[in-house]
Amino acid sequence: MKITAVRPWIIQVPWSIRPGEEPSVNNLHELLFCQVDTDEGITGWGEVTTYPGVVGNRSVAHMIREVGSTLIGRDPAHIERIWIDNVRTMTYVGTRGAVSATASAIDIALWDIQGKALNLPIYMLMGGPVRDRIALYTHPPSTTDPIQAAKDARAIVDAGYDAFKFDPMMHNIPEGNAHYIDGQLSRKGMEEAWEITAAIREEVGPAPELLIDAHGKYNVPTAIDLCLGLEKSNIFWFEEPVPVESNHALRQVREKINAKISVGERLFTRWEFVDIFENELADFVMPDVTWTGGISELKKIATLAESYYVPISPHDASGPVNVMAGAQVMMTVPNFYKLETSRYDLSDYNQFIDEPLDIREGHLYIPDKPGLGVNLDPDALERFAIEGFAG
Ligand SMILES: [Mg+2]
């Protein structure tokens, strides 16, 4: 079998504002997929949705097109060799970000092809299952109102989830990561975050695990003060307290807080996790399969984590390929905590996939289908594609 085309798609799909509502054209959601075609008619799907969407997705899509053009005629079963070539041809200036994202999109599509060629789900190519379903954690819609936050949290728990994640600080950091300056959060912003979290804890009771995402936005003293206040609501983990560049800063926060720390959505390839494990900087790692290097790399990072007895919990903030790629690997991984989904009602995906994901009572069930277990519908992609990025 030979690769005949590698094609990036960027689509903008109407998304529902709150779970259960109709998709709205006023709430377009951008996703970046990668289609790999072969001369035997098998197509593989990859995904590498990133953000901030406009710049991040378009830059990576251009790279997929360039790197993909070098793969025409290659055997898609040479997944490991192609991963090495993809990464090494681009890493003279380092491995971070777009390089491993590009390699991820292609790698996921190649595993999908390999599974389809052998008529097996991907997890059967990686040692077989150690579990029969994938535990999920998810997100409420973001809100600034503690009463609404408590209501949304109740809906998630009633849907069968025992863990969910939110960022109650976000609305007070309007500049976001893209315009980070000093990592400071106002006293008012901190108090609002504590209040929203306390309202949620009161609503759901002591059992559900509340995961707080700091999105790598704070300086050291801010992260410490913020977390110590959140701990009064018995949070389960504090995610990415400081920007990803300084593990020294992460250590300073870790030494002064009590909550467990989770990092990894912005750590790329196995090498960037070594320092985290060796220096005991996190209780959980959460690599993103579409950013860190794909299915091949997620499996390696999971095994690395296993050798330090650290649980892994793949990150997802994007689309159905991300969810299924992470799930396929986690079927084979002993040291698994939970897989993230960006919301608990994923029916917006149904506008462009072949079959709805099978989610029941906070768990994802893997279909007995070859490859990823989900296929994108090229006609639907065509409808939602933006100019210049329609495959
Ligand atoms: Mg996060």
Side-chain angles (χ1 to χ4, degrees):
M1 202 188 311
K2 288 191 167 34
I3 295 172
T4 54
V6 178
R7 309 198 264 160
W9 292 85
I10 298 179
I11 63 171
Q12 290 184 336
V13 200
W15 227 234
S16 51
I17 310 268
R18 307 190 91 73
E21 295 179 1
E22 283 299 303
S24 163
V25 288
N26 297 321
N27 185 33
L28 289 180
H29 193 84
E30 185 167 297
L31 297 159
L32 167 51
F33 297 112
C34 168
Q35 175 177 356
V36 178
D37 297 325
T38 64
D39 61 354
E40 294 190 13
I42 296 177
T43 288
W45 293 105
E47 175 175 3
V48 59
T49 306
T50 184
Y51 38 67
V54 174
V55 177
N57 283 338
R58 284 156 187 70
S59 305
V60 174
H62 281 299
M63 289 174 70
I64 289 172
R65 202 169 270 154
E66 288 301 320
V67 173
S69 70
T70 70
L71 302 180
I72 309 301
R74 297 279 299 268
D75 183 340
H78 293 179
I79 298 174
E80 183 75 16
R81 184 60 214 249
I82 288 174
W83 192 98
I84 292 169
D85 291 346
N86 285 350
V87 169
R88 296 298 177 192
T89 53
M90 294 187 281
T91 47
Y92 194 79
V93 288
T95 53
R96 292 185 55 81
V99 169
S100 62
T102 303
S104 302
I106 294 168
D107 181 88
I108 294 168
L110 296 186
W111 278 101
D112 191 23
I113 290 172
Q114 183 78 334
K116 286 167 175 165
L118 298 172
N119 203 28
L120 288 170
I122 291 168
Y123 69 82
M124 290 303 291
L125 310 177
M126 320 192 110
V130 295
R131 54 181 49 80
D132 56 10
R133 58 184 190 163
I134 295 294
L136 302 174
Y137 79 84
T138 190
H139 290 249
S142 60
T143 176
T144 60
D145 173 14
I147 295 170
Q148 182 64 48
K151 236 187 247 175
D152 291 336
R154 166 57 54 196
I156 286 185
V157 172
D158 288 349
Y161 291 88
D162 54 14
F164 56 93
K165 187 161 91 183
F166 52 102
D167 178 345
M169 294 76 70
M170 190 175 259
H171 60 286
N172 281 305
I173 301 278
E175 67 273 24
N177 293 82
H179 304 284
Y180 176 94
I181 299 176
D182 60 7
Q184 205 68 42
L185 178 67
S186 66
R187 184 72 197 177
K188 175 178 159 286
M190 246 182 236
E191 284 172 359
E192 282 183 22
W194 297 336
E195 197 190 338
I196 290 170
T197 309
I200 288 175
R201 175 55 81 201
E202 192 177 321
E203 175 64 35
V204 300
E209 292 164 353
L210 307 187
L211 320 178
I212 304 291
D213 194 348
H215 284 107
K217 283 210 200 82
Y218 303 106
N219 62 33
V220 171
T222 301
I224 293 167
D225 288 349
L226 175 61
C227 187
L228 292 177
L230 291 166
E231 285 174 11
K232 293 181 184 147
S233 297
N234 189 24
I235 62 169
F236 183 74
W237 84 31
F238 192 48
E239 175 174 320
E240 289 197 308
V242 292
V244 72
E245 290 78 15
S246 175
N247 282 347
H248 192 96
L250 181 59
R251 168 178 292 290
Q252 283 179 279
V253 174
R254 184 160 175 73
E255 283 171 354
K256 298 226 167 83
I257 66 171
N258 306 296
K260 293 185 268 294
I261 283 184
S262 180
V263 296
E265 73 184 69
R266 274 169 273 205
L267 295 173
F268 306 116
T269 74
R270 72 208 87 149
W271 295 283
E272 292 199 342
F273 284 85
V274 169
D275 202 36
I276 299 294
F277 296 127
E278 279 292 288
N279 292 298
E280 303 158 21
L281 295 176
D283 301 285
F284 292 82
V285 289
M286 35 158 300
D288 186 313
V289 64
T290 69
W291 299 342
T292 204
I295 284 175
S296 303
E297 204 61 11
L298 184 61
K299 176 70 177 175
K300 288 173 183 172
I301 293 164
T303 304
L304 191 58
E306 185 187 4
S307 58
Y308 287 87
Y309 295 109
V310 170
I312 185 167
S313 183
H315 172 262
D316 163 57
S318 42
V321 174
N322 186 326
V323 173
M324 290 305 295
Q328 290 282 351
V329 179
M330 291 305 117
M331 283 293 282
T332 73
V333 165
N335 51 312
F336 166 59
Y337 164 60
K338 284 179 171 66
L339 178 75
E340 181 173 13
T341 62
S342 51
R343 39 173 49 188
Y344 66 92
D345 175 0
L346 293 175
S347 54
D348 286 337
Y349 292 162
N350 300 345
Q351 298 173 94
F352 55 90
I353 60 180
D354 59 347
E355 270 177 48
L357 303 190
D358 182 5
I359 294 176
R360 286 170 272 149
E361 290 291 307
H363 289 80
L364 172 66
Y365 293 81
I366 310 299
D368 187 24
K369 281 165 61 172
L372 279 172
V374 69
N375 282 294
L376 305 183
D377 170 2
D379 293 337
L381 295 189
E382 197 85 56
R383 259 197 321 281
F384 296 125
I386 66 168
E387 208 186 327
F389 296 97

